Amino acid sequence: MTQCPAVDERLSAMSTPNASQIATITVNGRSLNCPTIVGSEGEIGIDISRLRAETGAITLDPGLGNTGSCESAITYIDGDQGILRYRGIPIEEFQAHPNFVEVSWLLIFGRLPTPEKTDRFSAALTRNAHLHENMKHHFQGFPIDAPPMAVMSAMLNALACFHPQFLEPDDISEDDFHELAARLISKVRTIAAYAYRHSKGRPFLYPDPGLKYCANFLHMLFSQPYQQYVIDPEIEAALNLVLVLHADHEQNCSTSTVRIVGSSKANLFASCAAGVSALWGPLHGGANVAVLDMLRAIHEGGMSADQAIAKAKDKKDPFVLFGFGHRVYKNFDPRALLLKKHCDRVLKLCKVKDPLLDIARRLEQAALEDPYFVERKLFPNVDFYSGIIFRALGIPENMFTVMFAIGRMPGWIAHWKEQHAAQGRICRPRQVYVGNQLSPYLSPDQRPG
Ligand code: CMC
Protein backbone atom coordinates (compact mmCIF):
# COMPACT_ATOMS: atom_id res chain seq x y z
CA MET A 1 0.00 0.00 0.00
CA THR A 2 1.47 3.39 -0.90
CA GLN A 3 1.03 6.70 0.88
CA CYS A 4 -0.20 9.68 -1.19
CA PRO A 5 2.71 11.92 -2.38
CA ALA A 6 1.71 15.04 -0.39
CA VAL A 7 1.83 13.08 2.85
CA ASP A 8 5.10 11.38 1.88
CA GLU A 9 6.75 14.76 1.34
CA ARG A 10 5.61 16.13 4.69
CA LEU A 11 6.66 13.01 6.53
CA SER A 12 10.16 13.03 5.06
CA ALA A 13 10.53 16.77 5.74
CA MET A 14 9.56 16.23 9.36
CA SER A 15 11.86 13.29 9.79
CA THR A 16 15.00 15.31 9.03
CA PRO A 17 17.00 15.48 12.26
CA ASN A 18 18.04 18.98 13.22
CA ALA A 19 21.81 18.89 13.70
CA SER A 20 21.92 22.21 15.53
CA GLN A 21 19.90 20.85 18.45
CA ILE A 22 21.43 17.88 20.17
CA ALA A 23 20.25 16.60 23.56
CA THR A 24 22.88 14.87 25.61
CA ILE A 25 21.84 12.23 28.10
CA THR A 26 24.41 10.97 30.60
CA VAL A 27 23.75 7.79 32.56
CA ASN A 28 26.38 6.33 34.89
CA GLY A 29 29.08 8.32 33.16
CA ARG A 30 28.08 7.17 29.66
CA SER A 31 26.84 9.97 27.43
CA LEU A 32 24.69 9.80 24.36
CA ASN A 33 24.13 12.64 21.92
CA CYS A 34 20.52 12.40 20.80
CA PRO A 35 19.46 14.18 17.61
CA THR A 36 16.27 16.20 17.73
CA ILE A 37 13.45 16.00 15.23
CA VAL A 38 11.55 19.23 14.62
CA GLY A 39 7.95 18.91 13.47
CA SER A 40 6.31 21.18 10.90
CA GLU A 41 4.88 23.37 13.70
CA GLY A 42 8.21 23.57 15.54
CA GLU A 43 7.56 20.79 18.07
CA ILE A 44 10.82 19.24 19.21
CA GLY A 45 11.22 15.53 19.73
CA ILE A 46 14.40 14.04 21.19
CA ASP A 47 15.25 10.85 19.36
CA ILE A 48 16.25 8.39 22.10
CA SER A 49 16.12 5.31 19.90
CA ARG A 50 19.81 4.48 20.67
CA LEU A 51 19.47 5.13 24.43
CA ARG A 52 19.23 1.57 25.68
CA ALA A 53 21.81 0.21 23.26
CA GLU A 54 24.34 2.90 24.21
CA THR A 55 23.70 3.41 27.94
CA GLY A 56 21.66 0.39 29.10
CA ALA A 57 18.97 2.74 30.47
CA ILE A 58 15.41 3.31 29.33
CA THR A 59 13.04 6.25 29.84
CA LEU A 60 10.13 6.05 32.30
CA ASP A 61 7.04 8.13 31.54
CA PRO A 62 3.86 6.80 33.21
CA GLY A 63 0.83 7.93 31.21
CA LEU A 64 3.24 8.65 28.29
CA GLY A 65 2.56 12.38 28.61
CA ASN A 66 6.12 13.22 27.46
CA THR A 67 6.59 10.46 24.95
CA GLY A 68 6.13 10.79 21.21
CA SER A 69 5.32 7.36 19.84
CA CYS A 70 5.44 8.25 16.14
CA GLU A 71 5.68 11.00 13.55
CA SER A 72 2.28 11.80 12.11
CA ALA A 73 0.96 14.18 9.45
CA ILE A 74 -2.75 13.77 10.26
CA THR A 75 -3.75 16.05 13.13
CA TYR A 76 -2.06 18.92 14.91
CA ILE A 77 -2.94 19.96 18.45
CA ASP A 78 -1.55 22.83 20.48
CA GLY A 79 -3.10 22.27 23.89
CA ASP A 80 -1.92 25.61 25.31
CA GLN A 81 -3.39 27.66 22.48
CA GLY A 82 -6.52 25.50 22.08
CA ILE A 83 -5.65 24.63 18.47
CA LEU A 84 -6.89 21.55 16.65
CA ARG A 85 -6.26 21.10 12.90
CA TYR A 86 -7.02 18.25 10.55
CA ARG A 87 -4.35 17.99 7.84
CA GLY A 88 -3.51 21.62 8.61
CA ILE A 89 -7.11 22.91 8.47
CA PRO A 90 -8.44 24.46 11.72
CA ILE A 91 -11.56 22.67 12.94
CA GLU A 92 -13.38 26.01 13.08
CA GLU A 93 -13.36 25.95 9.25
CA PHE A 94 -15.74 23.01 9.25
CA GLN A 95 -18.48 24.56 11.36
CA ALA A 96 -20.33 26.47 8.61
CA HIS A 97 -20.99 23.37 6.47
CA PRO A 98 -20.01 20.36 8.56
CA ASN A 99 -19.66 17.29 6.37
CA PHE A 100 -18.46 14.15 8.10
CA VAL A 101 -17.94 12.26 4.83
CA GLU A 102 -15.68 14.96 3.41
CA VAL A 103 -13.66 15.20 6.65
CA SER A 104 -13.27 11.41 6.74
CA TRP A 105 -11.75 11.48 3.25
CA LEU A 106 -9.51 14.40 4.21
CA LEU A 107 -8.13 12.58 7.24
CA ILE A 108 -7.61 9.25 5.50
CA PHE A 109 -6.27 10.40 2.14
CA GLY A 110 -4.46 13.58 3.21
CA ARG A 111 -6.17 16.38 1.28
CA LEU A 112 -9.66 17.77 0.68
CA PRO A 113 -11.53 15.62 -1.84
CA THR A 114 -12.58 17.02 -5.22
CA PRO A 115 -16.36 16.88 -5.78
CA GLU A 116 -15.82 13.74 -7.93
CA LYS A 117 -13.87 12.05 -5.14
CA THR A 118 -16.54 12.95 -2.59
CA ASP A 119 -19.20 11.48 -4.90
CA ARG A 120 -17.15 8.32 -5.39
CA PHE A 121 -16.65 7.92 -1.64
CA SER A 122 -20.35 8.63 -0.91
CA ALA A 123 -21.31 5.99 -3.49
CA ALA A 124 -18.97 3.51 -1.78
CA LEU A 125 -20.54 4.34 1.60
CA THR A 126 -24.03 3.72 0.19
CA ARG A 127 -22.95 0.50 -1.52
CA ASN A 128 -21.47 -0.80 1.71
CA ALA A 129 -24.10 0.26 4.22
CA HIS A 130 -25.72 -3.20 4.49
CA LEU A 131 -24.38 -5.90 6.77
CA HIS A 132 -24.09 -9.44 5.48
CA GLU A 133 -27.42 -11.12 6.34
CA ASN A 134 -25.57 -13.74 8.39
CA MET A 135 -24.22 -11.02 10.65
CA LYS A 136 -27.75 -10.25 11.84
CA HIS A 137 -27.83 -13.61 13.66
CA HIS A 138 -24.90 -12.52 15.81
CA PHE A 139 -27.00 -9.71 17.28
CA GLN A 140 -29.65 -12.21 18.37
CA GLY A 141 -27.02 -14.02 20.44
CA PHE A 142 -26.41 -11.03 22.70
CA PRO A 143 -28.53 -10.41 25.81
CA ILE A 144 -31.05 -7.62 25.38
CA ASP A 145 -29.15 -5.41 27.83
CA ALA A 146 -25.70 -6.03 26.31
CA PRO A 147 -23.64 -2.81 26.40
CA PRO A 148 -23.60 -1.45 22.82
CA MET A 149 -19.85 -0.80 23.03
CA ALA A 150 -19.26 -4.52 23.67
CA VAL A 151 -21.54 -5.38 20.75
CA MET A 152 -19.77 -2.89 18.51
CA SER A 153 -16.29 -4.16 19.31
CA ALA A 154 -17.39 -7.78 18.77
CA MET A 155 -19.16 -6.97 15.50
CA LEU A 156 -16.22 -5.01 14.08
CA ASN A 157 -14.05 -8.04 14.74
CA ALA A 158 -16.71 -10.24 13.16
CA LEU A 159 -16.54 -8.12 9.98
CA ALA A 160 -13.11 -9.66 9.40
CA CYS A 161 -14.83 -13.03 8.87
CA PHE A 162 -17.02 -11.57 6.12
CA HIS A 163 -14.34 -9.59 4.24
CA PRO A 164 -11.32 -11.92 4.11
CA GLN A 165 -9.83 -10.08 1.12
CA PHE A 166 -8.77 -7.26 3.49
CA LEU A 167 -6.93 -9.28 6.13
CA GLU A 168 -3.38 -9.02 4.77
CA PRO A 169 -2.31 -5.38 5.14
CA ASP A 170 0.55 -5.74 2.66
CA ASP A 171 -1.78 -6.92 -0.10
CA ILE A 172 -4.15 -3.94 -0.01
CA SER A 173 -3.85 -1.54 -2.96
CA GLU A 174 -4.81 2.14 -2.70
CA ASP A 175 -8.11 1.39 -4.51
CA ASP A 176 -8.82 -1.52 -2.18
CA PHE A 177 -8.12 0.74 0.77
CA HIS A 178 -10.71 3.22 -0.49
CA GLU A 179 -13.25 0.37 -0.49
CA LEU A 180 -12.12 -0.93 2.91
CA ALA A 181 -12.32 2.51 4.54
CA ALA A 182 -15.80 3.07 3.08
CA ARG A 183 -16.93 -0.32 4.34
CA LEU A 184 -15.85 0.37 7.88
CA ILE A 185 -17.18 3.93 8.06
CA SER A 186 -20.51 2.85 6.60
CA LYS A 187 -20.98 -0.43 8.44
CA VAL A 188 -20.01 0.93 11.87
CA ARG A 189 -23.13 3.09 11.64
CA THR A 190 -25.35 0.14 10.70
CA ILE A 191 -23.86 -1.97 13.51
CA ALA A 192 -24.54 0.85 15.99
CA ALA A 193 -28.16 1.20 14.87
CA TYR A 194 -28.75 -2.57 14.97
CA ALA A 195 -27.21 -2.82 18.45
CA TYR A 196 -29.69 -0.20 19.63
CA ARG A 197 -32.72 -1.78 17.95
CA HIS A 198 -31.79 -5.17 19.34
CA SER A 199 -31.64 -3.67 22.84
CA LYS A 200 -35.18 -2.33 22.31
CA GLY A 201 -36.50 -5.55 20.77
CA ARG A 202 -37.35 -3.66 17.58
CA PRO A 203 -36.92 -5.01 14.03
CA PHE A 204 -33.76 -4.00 12.18
CA LEU A 205 -34.29 -1.39 9.49
CA TYR A 206 -32.20 -1.50 6.34
CA PRO A 207 -30.22 1.61 5.41
CA ASP A 208 -31.99 3.91 2.97
CA PRO A 209 -29.77 4.61 -0.08
CA GLY A 210 -31.53 7.94 -0.62
CA LEU A 211 -30.35 9.38 2.70
CA LYS A 212 -27.05 11.03 3.61
CA TYR A 213 -24.75 9.64 6.30
CA CYS A 214 -26.24 11.20 9.47
CA ALA A 215 -29.85 11.14 8.28
CA ASN A 216 -29.48 7.47 7.38
CA PHE A 217 -28.15 6.68 10.84
CA LEU A 218 -31.05 8.42 12.57
CA HIS A 219 -33.45 6.64 10.20
CA MET A 220 -32.03 3.21 11.13
CA LEU A 221 -32.16 4.20 14.79
CA PHE A 222 -35.59 5.79 15.06
CA SER A 223 -37.83 5.06 12.02
CA GLN A 224 -40.75 2.74 12.60
CA PRO A 225 -42.03 0.35 9.97
CA TYR A 226 -44.22 2.53 7.68
CA GLN A 227 -43.17 5.68 9.51
CA GLN A 228 -39.92 7.25 8.35
CA TYR A 229 -38.06 9.43 10.86
CA VAL A 230 -37.79 12.89 9.32
CA ILE A 231 -34.64 14.79 10.23
CA ASP A 232 -34.55 18.56 10.57
CA PRO A 233 -31.67 19.98 8.43
CA GLU A 234 -30.30 21.89 11.44
CA ILE A 235 -30.24 18.74 13.53
CA GLU A 236 -28.54 16.91 10.66
CA ALA A 237 -25.89 19.66 10.53
CA ALA A 238 -25.40 19.54 14.32
CA LEU A 239 -24.89 15.77 14.21
CA ASN A 240 -22.46 16.16 11.32
CA LEU A 241 -20.53 18.70 13.38
CA VAL A 242 -20.40 16.42 16.44
CA LEU A 243 -18.98 13.60 14.30
CA VAL A 244 -16.53 15.95 12.56
CA LEU A 245 -15.25 17.20 15.92
CA HIS A 246 -14.69 13.65 17.13
CA ALA A 247 -13.04 12.47 13.90
CA ASP A 248 -9.44 12.57 15.11
CA HIS A 249 -7.42 13.70 18.08
CA GLU A 250 -3.88 12.47 17.39
CA GLN A 251 -2.32 9.99 19.84
CA ASN A 252 -5.17 9.60 22.36
CA CYS A 253 -5.75 6.33 24.22
CA SER A 254 -7.91 4.61 21.57
CA THR A 255 -5.91 5.82 18.55
CA SER A 256 -2.65 4.74 20.19
CA THR A 257 -4.31 1.38 20.81
CA VAL A 258 -5.24 1.09 17.13
CA ARG A 259 -1.65 1.91 16.16
CA ILE A 260 -0.18 -0.53 18.69
CA VAL A 261 -2.44 -3.36 17.54
CA GLY A 262 -1.81 -2.43 13.89
CA SER A 263 1.96 -2.48 14.48
CA SER A 264 1.76 -6.28 14.70
CA LYS A 265 0.29 -6.14 11.17
CA ALA A 266 -3.12 -7.05 12.56
CA ASN A 267 -5.88 -6.19 10.09
CA LEU A 268 -7.88 -2.96 10.18
CA PHE A 269 -11.06 -4.59 11.56
CA ALA A 270 -9.20 -6.10 14.54
CA SER A 271 -7.27 -2.87 15.17
CA CYS A 272 -10.43 -0.72 15.16
CA ALA A 273 -12.27 -3.23 17.37
CA ALA A 274 -9.45 -2.75 19.90
CA GLY A 275 -9.86 1.02 19.52
CA VAL A 276 -13.54 0.70 20.47
CA SER A 277 -12.58 -1.17 23.64
CA ALA A 278 -10.05 1.50 24.61
CA LEU A 279 -12.59 4.24 23.94
CA TRP A 280 -15.16 2.65 26.24
CA GLY A 281 -13.57 3.76 29.54
CA PRO A 282 -15.03 6.73 31.44
CA LEU A 283 -11.74 8.64 31.34
CA HIS A 284 -11.88 8.60 27.53
CA GLY A 285 -14.97 8.18 25.30
CA GLY A 286 -17.11 6.86 28.14
CA ALA A 287 -16.96 10.30 29.76
CA ASN A 288 -20.05 11.45 27.81
CA VAL A 289 -22.10 8.74 29.57
CA ALA A 290 -20.40 9.49 32.89
CA VAL A 291 -21.47 13.15 32.50
CA LEU A 292 -25.13 12.14 32.39
CA ASP A 293 -24.72 9.65 35.26
CA MET A 294 -23.14 12.44 37.28
CA LEU A 295 -25.93 14.93 36.47
CA ARG A 296 -28.52 12.34 37.45
CA ALA A 297 -26.73 11.57 40.72
CA ILE A 298 -26.67 15.29 41.52
CA HIS A 299 -30.36 15.65 40.62
CA GLU A 300 -31.55 12.58 42.53
CA GLY A 301 -29.34 13.40 45.51
CA GLY A 302 -30.94 16.86 45.68
CA MET A 303 -27.46 18.42 45.52
CA SER A 304 -26.82 21.97 44.40
CA ALA A 305 -24.14 22.79 41.80
CA ASP A 306 -22.03 24.31 44.60
CA GLN A 307 -22.27 21.13 46.67
CA ALA A 308 -21.23 19.04 43.66
CA ILE A 309 -18.26 21.33 43.05
CA ALA A 310 -17.24 21.03 46.72
CA LYS A 311 -17.37 17.23 46.43
CA ALA A 312 -15.24 17.30 43.26
CA LYS A 313 -12.64 19.44 45.03
CA ASP A 314 -12.49 17.17 48.08
CA LYS A 315 -9.44 14.92 47.53
CA LYS A 316 -10.84 12.31 49.95
CA ASP A 317 -14.00 12.02 47.85
CA PRO A 318 -13.65 9.92 44.63
CA PHE A 319 -16.28 12.14 42.92
CA VAL A 320 -14.88 14.08 39.93
CA LEU A 321 -16.66 16.39 37.54
CA PHE A 322 -16.95 14.24 34.44
CA GLY A 323 -16.77 16.31 31.27
CA PHE A 324 -14.23 18.67 32.82
CA GLY A 325 -10.47 18.80 32.26
CA HIS A 326 -8.25 17.38 29.57
CA ARG A 327 -4.79 15.85 29.36
CA VAL A 328 -3.72 18.01 26.42
CA TYR A 329 -5.86 21.17 26.44
CA LYS A 330 -4.81 23.43 29.23
CA ASN A 331 -6.76 26.57 28.35
CA PHE A 332 -9.87 25.49 26.52
CA ASP A 333 -11.02 22.61 24.38
CA PRO A 334 -11.70 24.13 20.92
CA ARG A 335 -14.16 21.32 20.15
CA ALA A 336 -16.15 22.20 23.26
CA LEU A 337 -16.31 25.89 22.27
CA LEU A 338 -17.86 24.99 18.90
CA LEU A 339 -20.25 22.46 20.42
CA LYS A 340 -21.36 24.88 23.13
CA LYS A 341 -22.62 27.26 20.42
CA HIS A 342 -24.49 24.47 18.63
CA CYS A 343 -25.69 23.03 21.90
CA ASP A 344 -27.67 26.21 22.60
CA ARG A 345 -29.22 26.07 19.10
CA VAL A 346 -30.10 22.38 19.36
CA LEU A 347 -31.72 22.82 22.78
CA LYS A 348 -33.83 25.67 21.41
CA LEU A 349 -34.73 23.73 18.28
CA CYS A 350 -35.69 20.60 20.18
CA LYS A 351 -37.61 22.73 22.76
CA VAL A 352 -36.08 20.57 25.46
CA LYS A 353 -37.01 21.15 29.10
CA ASP A 354 -34.83 18.89 31.14
CA PRO A 355 -33.77 19.26 34.79
CA LEU A 356 -30.46 17.52 34.04
CA LEU A 357 -29.63 20.09 31.39
CA ASP A 358 -30.41 22.88 33.85
CA ILE A 359 -27.98 21.31 36.31
CA ALA A 360 -25.37 21.06 33.55
CA ARG A 361 -25.68 24.77 32.90
CA ARG A 362 -25.36 25.66 36.61
CA LEU A 363 -22.37 23.35 37.01
CA GLU A 364 -20.64 24.81 33.98
CA GLN A 365 -21.11 28.33 35.34
CA ALA A 366 -19.98 27.46 38.86
CA ALA A 367 -16.91 25.54 37.65
CA LEU A 368 -15.82 28.34 35.34
CA GLU A 369 -15.81 30.76 38.30
CA ASP A 370 -14.37 28.53 41.04
CA PRO A 371 -10.63 29.09 41.76
CA TYR A 372 -9.95 25.30 42.07
CA PHE A 373 -11.07 24.77 38.47
CA VAL A 374 -9.70 28.06 37.17
CA GLU A 375 -6.21 27.47 38.66
CA ARG A 376 -6.03 23.91 37.37
CA LYS A 377 -7.38 25.00 34.00
CA LEU A 378 -10.28 22.57 34.21
CA PHE A 379 -13.05 23.59 31.82
CA PRO A 380 -15.88 21.72 30.11
CA ASN A 381 -14.49 19.38 27.47
CA VAL A 382 -16.06 17.98 24.29
CA ASP A 383 -17.82 15.20 26.20
CA PHE A 384 -19.70 17.64 28.40
CA TYR A 385 -21.49 19.23 25.45
CA SER A 386 -21.76 16.17 23.22
CA GLY A 387 -23.56 14.33 26.05
CA ILE A 388 -26.03 17.20 26.36
CA ILE A 389 -26.59 17.39 22.58
CA PHE A 390 -27.12 13.62 22.29
CA ARG A 391 -29.65 13.73 25.10
CA ALA A 392 -31.52 16.59 23.44
CA LEU A 393 -31.60 14.64 20.14
CA GLY A 394 -33.21 11.71 21.95
CA ILE A 395 -30.19 9.43 21.53
CA PRO A 396 -30.24 6.93 24.39
CA GLU A 397 -27.45 7.25 26.95
CA ASN A 398 -25.95 3.84 26.39
CA MET A 399 -25.36 4.90 22.77
CA PHE A 400 -23.35 8.04 23.58
CA THR A 401 -19.93 6.38 23.50
CA VAL A 402 -20.98 4.46 20.40
CA MET A 403 -21.60 7.85 18.74
CA PHE A 404 -18.05 8.83 19.68
CA ALA A 405 -16.78 5.59 18.10
CA ILE A 406 -18.64 6.31 14.85
CA GLY A 407 -17.06 9.76 14.79
CA ARG A 408 -13.55 8.50 15.60
CA MET A 409 -13.55 5.75 12.96
CA PRO A 410 -11.93 7.87 10.15
CA GLY A 411 -9.17 8.94 12.56
CA TRP A 412 -8.41 5.33 13.50
CA ILE A 413 -8.37 4.33 9.83
CA ALA A 414 -6.08 7.24 8.90
CA HIS A 415 -3.61 6.36 11.69
CA TRP A 416 -3.61 2.66 10.84
CA LYS A 417 -2.92 3.56 7.19
CA GLU A 418 -0.17 6.02 8.05
CA GLN A 419 1.52 3.63 10.42
CA HIS A 420 1.37 0.80 7.95
CA ALA A 421 2.82 2.99 5.18
CA ALA A 422 5.71 3.99 7.46
CA GLN A 423 6.58 0.29 7.93
CA GLY A 424 7.64 0.92 11.53
CA ARG A 425 8.72 -1.67 14.07
CA ILE A 426 6.20 -3.56 16.19
CA CYS A 427 5.34 -1.51 19.33
CA ARG A 428 6.92 -3.13 22.29
CA PRO A 429 7.61 -0.81 25.26
CA ARG A 430 10.01 -1.68 28.08
CA GLN A 431 9.41 -1.53 31.83
CA VAL A 432 11.34 -0.93 35.01
CA TYR A 433 10.91 -4.17 36.92
CA VAL A 434 10.21 -3.62 40.64
CA GLY A 435 9.18 -7.16 41.69
CA ASN A 436 10.97 -9.87 43.65
CA GLN A 437 14.59 -10.60 42.92
CA LEU A 438 15.63 -14.19 42.19
CA SER A 439 13.44 -16.36 44.44
CA PRO A 440 13.35 -20.10 45.17
CA TYR A 441 10.35 -22.27 44.31
CA LEU A 442 8.87 -23.45 47.64
CA SER A 443 7.02 -26.73 48.01
CA PRO A 444 3.45 -26.32 49.42
CA ASP A 445 4.52 -27.23 53.02
CA GLN A 446 7.34 -24.62 52.96
CA ARG A 447 5.09 -21.71 51.93
CA PRO A 448 4.42 -19.04 54.59
CA GLY A 449 0.73 -18.57 55.50
N1 CMC B 1 -12.77 17.04 38.48
C1 CMC B 1 -12.07 17.41 39.59
N2 CMC B 1 -10.71 17.52 39.63
C2 CMC B 1 -10.03 17.25 38.52
C3 CMC B 1 -10.68 16.84 37.33
C4 CMC B 1 -12.09 16.74 37.34
N3 CMC B 1 -12.75 16.37 36.24
N4 CMC B 1 -9.76 16.62 36.36
C5 CMC B 1 -8.56 16.87 36.91
N5 CMC B 1 -8.72 17.26 38.21
C6 CMC B 1 -7.66 17.70 39.15
C7 CMC B 1 -6.75 16.54 39.54
O1 CMC B 1 -7.24 15.91 40.70
C8 CMC B 1 -5.46 17.26 39.77
O2 CMC B 1 -5.54 17.95 41.02
P1 CMC B 1 -4.19 18.19 41.92
O3 CMC B 1 -3.30 19.02 41.05
O4 CMC B 1 -4.70 18.88 43.12
O5 CMC B 1 -3.64 16.81 42.18
C9 CMC B 1 -5.44 18.35 38.70
O6 CMC B 1 -6.83 18.61 38.42
C10 CMC B 1 -4.70 17.99 37.41
O7 CMC B 1 -5.30 16.84 36.83
P2 CMC B 1 -4.47 15.66 36.17
O8 CMC B 1 -4.70 14.42 36.97
O9 CMC B 1 -3.05 16.05 35.91
O10 CMC B 1 -5.18 15.51 34.76
P3 CMC B 1 -4.84 14.37 33.69
O11 CMC B 1 -4.25 15.04 32.52
O12 CMC B 1 -4.08 13.23 34.26
O13 CMC B 1 -6.30 13.79 33.37
C11 CMC B 1 -8.51 13.73 32.56
C12 CMC B 1 -7.11 14.33 32.39
C13 CMC B 1 -9.35 14.11 31.33
C14 CMC B 1 -8.42 12.18 32.61
C15 CMC B 1 -9.14 14.27 33.86
O14 CMC B 1 -9.25 15.68 33.77
C16 CMC B 1 -10.48 13.66 34.17
O15 CMC B 1 -10.54 12.61 34.78
N6 CMC B 1 -11.62 14.32 33.70
C17 CMC B 1 -12.92 13.72 33.83
C18 CMC B 1 -13.11 12.66 32.75
C19 CMC B 1 -13.38 13.27 31.39
O16 CMC B 1 -14.17 14.18 31.23
N7 CMC B 1 -12.71 12.68 30.36
C20 CMC B 1 -12.91 13.09 28.96
C21 CMC B 1 -11.73 13.75 28.36
S1 CMC B 1 -12.13 14.52 26.79
C22 CMC B 1 -12.40 13.19 25.71
C23 CMC B 1 -11.17 12.60 25.19
O17 CMC B 1 -10.44 13.30 24.46
O18 CMC B 1 -10.92 11.41 25.50
Side-chain angles (χ1 to χ4, degrees):
M1 192 174 67
T2 51
Q3 183 70 262
C4 70
V7 176
D8 272 345
E9 276 160 31
R10 287 185 71 185
L11 274 176
S12 69
M14 287 186 339
S15 304
T16 312
N18 184 339
S20 65
Q21 298 194 48
I22 298 284
T24 306
I25 300 177
T26 306
V27 185
N28 289 338
R30 286 158 76 188
S31 289
L32 174 70
N33 285 337
C34 303
T36 54
I37 309 272
V38 182
S40 47
E41 292 293 337
E43 286 175 312
I44 300 170
I46 300 172
D47 177 354
I48 53 128
S49 50
R50 300 285 314 147
L51 182 65
R52 189 170 167 279
E54 302 286 338
T55 70
I58 59 169
T59 55
L60 184 63
D61 183 17
L64 305 179
N66 301 287
T67 298
S69 59
C70 61
E71 293 170 53
S72 178
I74 300 169
T75 288
Y76 173 66
I77 298 178
D78 180 332
D80 296 325
Q81 307 289 328
I83 292 173
L84 171 59
R85 296 183 197 142
Y86 295 156
R87 299 286 185 181
I89 304 173
I91 50 159
E92 291 75 15
E93 295 285 324
F94 300 109
Q95 67 173 318
H97 305 287
N99 182 336
F100 179 61
V101 172
E102 180 188 74
V103 167
S104 300
W105 205 94
L106 167 73
L107 288 168
I108 296 169
F109 298 105
R111 56 199 178 279
L112 284 169
T114 58
E116 295 74 37
K117 286 194 160 49
T118 307
D119 288 350
R120 186 173 159 239
F121 197 53
S122 294
L125 291 172
T126 305
R127 199 168 55 240
N128 285 298
H130 283 267
L131 300 181
H132 192 289
E133 284 296 302
N134 289 355
M135 267 193 91
K136 292 205 308 201
H137 303 304
H138 291 264
F139 287 94
Q140 315 303 344
F142 289 111
I144 205 93
D145 55 355
M149 284 297 274
V151 176
M152 174 166 275
S153 180
M155 290 308 214
L156 284 178
N157 246 324
L159 280 180
C161 311
F162 293 89
H163 307 282
Q165 69 275 39
F166 297 121
L167 300 193
E168 288 299 331
D170 291 333
D171 296 344
I172 303 175
S173 69
E174 193 73 2
D175 266 358
D176 288 344
F177 198 85
H178 185 274
E179 186 70 10
L180 171 58
R183 266 184 209 198
L184 258 173
I185 291 173
S186 195
K187 289 185 195 303
V188 72
R189 166 190 60 166
T190 312
I191 290 172
Y194 282 18
Y196 170 67
R197 294 195 73 105
H198 171 66
S199 75
K200 291 283 168 199
R202 293 189 192 143
F204 299 146
L205 286 182
Y206 286 128
D208 179 339
L211 294 177
K212 293 206 161 119
Y213 192 88
C214 289
N216 211 347
F217 175 62
L218 292 180
H219 151 67
M220 284 191 276
L221 216 53
F222 295 134
S223 286
Q224 300 297 340
Y226 313 114
Q227 196 187 350
Q228 176 111 1
Y229 178 87
V230 181
I231 185 168
D232 180 290
E234 275 209 62
I235 300 285
E236 189 176 3
L239 192 52
N240 258 294
L241 184 69
V242 175
L243 296 185
V244 163
L245 295 179
H246 283 86
D248 192 42
H249 213 230
E250 51 122 296
Q251 308 309 317
N252 55 84
C253 177
S254 56
T255 303
S256 300
T257 300
V258 169
R259 288 186 83 121
I260 287 181
V261 174
S263 78
S264 74
K265 291 200 190 272
N267 64 74
L268 185 59
F269 301 111
S271 305
C272 290
V276 169
S277 300
L279 187 72
W280 193 355
L283 296 189
H284 190 14
N288 52 19
V289 178
V291 168
L292 264 292
D293 287 343
M294 171 190 77
L295 294 175
R296 195 173 305 100
I298 293 171
H299 180 57
E300 287 169 4
M303 242 188 283
S304 69
D306 285 341
Q307 284 167 323
I309 299 262
K311 255 172 97 57
K313 286 168 17 181
D314 181 355
K315 295 288 173 199
K316 290 190 213 98
D317 194 320
F319 181 86
V320 293
L321 280 192
F322 280 98
F324 283 75
H326 200 274
R327 166 60 63 82
V328 176
Y329 296 118
K330 295 300 176 198
N331 263 325
F332 62 93
D333 178 342
R335 304 166 299 173
L337 280 196
L338 293 182
L339 279 192
K340 180 175 161 51
K341 266 200 257 166
H342 283 260
C343 188
D344 294 337
R345 291 224 326 254
V346 168
L347 292 186
K348 241 190 229 151
L349 209 68
C350 297
K351 300 193 177 69
V352 177
K353 283 245 166 297
D354 183 341
L356 298 195
L357 300 182
D358 293 341
I359 293 173
R361 286 272 181 261
R362 292 209 299 277
L363 219 53
E364 176 194 25
Q365 198 53 38
L368 291 173
E369 289 162 0
D370 187 289
Y372 173 97
F373 289 87
V374 174
E375 279 158 23
R376 287 170 178 75
K377 302 188 170 170
L378 302 171
F379 41 78
N381 58 44
V382 68
D383 285 316
F384 187 74
Y385 296 107
S386 64
I388 295 173
I389 290 181
F390 291 150
R391 184 170 169 93
L393 294 184
I395 292 174
E397 267 166 53
N398 65 354
M399 290 292 290
F400 286 9
T401 315
V402 168
M403 300 299 294
F404 194 151
I406 296 173
R408 187 54 56 88
M409 188 55 72
W412 291 336
I413 295 172
H415 281 272
W416 187 95
K417 183 175 190 285
E418 180 180 76
Q419 182 206 42
H420 187 71
Q423 292 289 343
R425 299 172 78 197
I426 186 170
C427 291
R428 202 315 188 173
R430 296 269 172 176
Q431 62 169 13
V432 175
Y433 176 69
V434 294
N436 289 341
Q437 291 190 315
L438 183 64
S439 308
Y441 176 81
L442 302 177
S443 60
D445 56 321
Q446 291 176 309
R447 294 172 198 171

